[in-house]
């Protein structure tokens, strides 16, 4: 069988798991990233240099049947020339909209997907106005380049305005009403060029300090799942999407409020490696390489725990029945995603018990 060459911009853990999923399919990945010791470069060849270096991007494209991303913040201007060399998937428009929280919310709103009340903020005066109009508490966020809760400030009262402005004040911000959510859910799905779409079961996500700590899946709620699938499908269709796409939701009074989307494989979908017939990583490759998409059926009940800042005691975790361990090969740093584990069980109550045992062995730094 002919192998397919996939160029991946960014060689973090997402790229690494894509490359690993590619081997059994006969897909060979080539990365572009700044260092020689990235998680991706430990498992597949890598071009070394800046992610927006035009010469290296052109080389990546010319050596690939399709270019994709593990990092969605590459500029549209850097990407555009690649479209003359090879296929670029997901489409540039999807990356561009997801790079700007304001544009993302405008798209959701146009597609009749509910979002939190929000306003663009370009100055301290506009922040005061937004807090008055939308109300407190609220979250001030940078429109661009925020991740893992970085570039955000929660305002509890008007007295917090100064501190918020001190912390992240400037142009290009968004103020959102704070959502008193009962849960955070995410939906991961994939779409192929022919329009075939598949959806994973919902994942229920617990964050600390803006970073995902653990997820449980499938989260069984047929009504919310159907809603979420409808929303994700609308976005996929509007963007003529190819690849894996994720939407994060808040559940507020039983309703889904879309928070943000990611035009790539997602941390809350890591459980699909062991927990589903076809993982999100494999389905992303299948989608961008024009292969039929695989079954997203869950094999049982899972919990996924992120390793943040410090790696846990591997041997003790591995002693838990049904646990799979993932080390991304990164140097420890506070708040950094270093690895994760997934526990797969037959019954929800077995999963919940194993999760609580595993959580005793994991500390987040
Ligand atoms: N408007 C909001 N109301 C309540 N919590 C929020 C709000 N915005 C963000 N958060 C919390 O912060 C987390 C990270 O924010 P998010 O917008 O997803 O940014 P990112 O994941 O890109 O850092 C969310 O998962 C949620 O827990
Ligand atoms: Mg998020």
């Amino acid at each position: 069988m002919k192998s397919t060459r996939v160029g991946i911009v960014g060689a973090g853990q997402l790229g690494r798991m894509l490359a690993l999923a590619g081997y059994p399919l006969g897909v060979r990945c080539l990365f572009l990233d700044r260092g020689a010791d990235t998680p991706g470069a430990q498992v597949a060849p890598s071009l070394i240099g800046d992610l927006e270096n035009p010469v290296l991007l052109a080389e990546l494209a010319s050596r690939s049947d399709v270019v994709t991303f593990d990092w969605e913040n590459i500029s549209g201007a850097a990407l555009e020339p690649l479209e003359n060399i090879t296929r670029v998937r997901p489409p540039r428009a999807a990356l561009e909209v997801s790079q700007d929280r304001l544009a993302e919310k405008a798209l959701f709103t146009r597609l009749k997907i509910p979002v939190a009340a929000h306003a663009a903020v370009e100055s301290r005066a506009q922040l005061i106005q937004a807090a008055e109009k939308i109300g407190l508490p609220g979250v001030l966020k940078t429109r661009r380049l925020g991740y893992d809760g970085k570039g955000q400030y929660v305002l509890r009262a008007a007295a917090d305005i100064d501190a918020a402005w001190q912390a992240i004040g400037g142009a290009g911000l968004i103020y959102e009403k704070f959502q008193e959510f009962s849960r955070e859910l995410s939906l991961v799905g994939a779409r192929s060029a022919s329009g075939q779409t598949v959806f994973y079961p919902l994942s229920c996500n617990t964050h600390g300090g803006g970073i995902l700590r653990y997820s449980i899946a499938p989260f069984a709620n047929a009504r919310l799942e159907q809603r979420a699938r409808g929303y994700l499908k609308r976005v996929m269709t509007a963007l003529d999407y190819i690849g894996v796409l994720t939407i994060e939701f808040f559940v507020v009074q039983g309703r889904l409020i879309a928070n943000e989307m990611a035009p790539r494989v997602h941390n809350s979908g890591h459980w699909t490696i062991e927990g589903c017939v076809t993982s999100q990583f494999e389905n992303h490759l299948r989608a961008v390489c024009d292969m039929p998409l695989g079954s997203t059926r869950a094999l049982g009940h899972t919990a996924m725990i992120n390793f943040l800042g410090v790696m846990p005691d591997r041997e003790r975790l591995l002693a838990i029945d049904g646990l799979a361990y993932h080390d991304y090969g990164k140097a420890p740093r506070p708040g950094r995603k270093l690895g994760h584990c997934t526990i797969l069980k037959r019954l929800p109550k077995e999963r919940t018990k194993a999760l609580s045992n595993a959580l005793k062995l994991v500390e987040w730094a």
Side-chain angles (χ1 to χ4, degrees), residues 11 15 38 48 51 92 95 113 138 156 162 184 214 274 297 316 332 335 343:
T38 55
I48 312 290
L51 295 179
R92 177 156 52 95
L95 266 72
I113 301 170
R156 297 275 158 201
D162 278 337
E184 290 192 79
Y214 60 92
E274 291 84 13
R297 185 165 56 79
R316 290 183 73 191
I343 298 159

Side-chain angles (χ1 to χ4, degrees), residues 55-267:
V55 176
L56 289 174
L57 279 172
E59 185 184 345
L60 183 77
S62 67
R63 290 171 62 180
S64 304
D65 301 308
V66 56
V67 165
T68 191
F69 314 88
D70 103 328
W71 184 72
E72 69 270 27
N73 283 309
I74 177 166
S75 70
L79 270 186
E80 198 178 351
L82 308 190
E83 293 166 357
N84 300 319
I85 305 173
T86 192
R87 293 171 297 177
V88 176
R89 295 170 164 179
R92 177 156 52 95
L95 266 72
E96 287 179 319
V97 71
S98 68
Q99 287 166 4
D100 180 350
R101 295 187 190 278
L102 195 65
E104 198 171 72
K105 284 192 167 58
L107 175 69
F108 289 149
T109 303
R110 180 163 73 76
L111 298 175
K112 304 206 165 14
I113 301 170
V115 298
H118 61 279
V121 168
E122 296 291 329
S123 66
R124 193 174 170 282
Q126 283 185 358
L127 173 59
I128 294 169
Q129 274 173 17
E132 270 171 15
K133 185 165 160 250
I134 291 163
L136 288 150
V139 190
L140 184 66
K141 301 181 181 177
T142 57
R143 279 167 56 181
R144 295 178 173 275
L145 295 170
Y147 70 100
D148 288 347
K150 292 181 177 61
Q152 298 194 16
Y153 196 98
V154 178
L155 289 86
R156 297 275 158 201
D160 294 337
I161 285 175
D162 278 337
W165 196 255
Q166 282 279 315
I168 59 166
L173 302 172
I174 184 170
Y175 180 82
E176 293 174 17
K177 191 167 171 63
F178 189 89
Q179 301 299 296
E180 304 288 353
F181 55 79
S182 56
R183 287 201 166 81
E184 290 192 79
L185 303 179
S186 56
L187 184 69
V188 179
R191 184 177 185 273
S192 66
S194 67
Q196 185 193 0
T197 53
V198 293
F199 302 100
Y200 287 93
L202 282 173
S203 170
C204 180
N205 309 316
T206 300
H207 295 83
I211 308 188
L212 181 63
R213 288 191 166 172
Y214 60 92
S215 297
I216 64 164
F219 175 75
N221 183 315
R223 181 181 62 87
L224 292 180
E225 187 153 83
Q226 195 190 12
R227 255 296 138 80
R229 287 180 177 197
Y231 292 158
L232 187 57
K233 181 141 192 174
R234 266 181 231 171
V235 176
M236 285 173 159
T237 307
L239 294 169
D240 222 348
Y241 197 81
I242 304 171
V244 162
L245 180 69
T246 305
I247 303 184
E248 299 174 11
F249 297 97
F250 302 121
V251 182
V252 181
Q253 294 174 344
R255 276 182 80 225
L256 290 176
I257 306 290
N259 173 31
E260 61 169 354
M261 65 183 209
R264 52 165 170 76
V265 288
H266 194 262
N267 195 169

Side-chain angles (χ1 to χ4, degrees), residues 321-337:
D321 177 65
L323 183 141
Y325 188 88
H326 295 257
D327 181 335
Y328 307 150
K330 288 158 88 171
R333 204 193 294 148
R336 199 173 197 208
K337 289 176 177 170

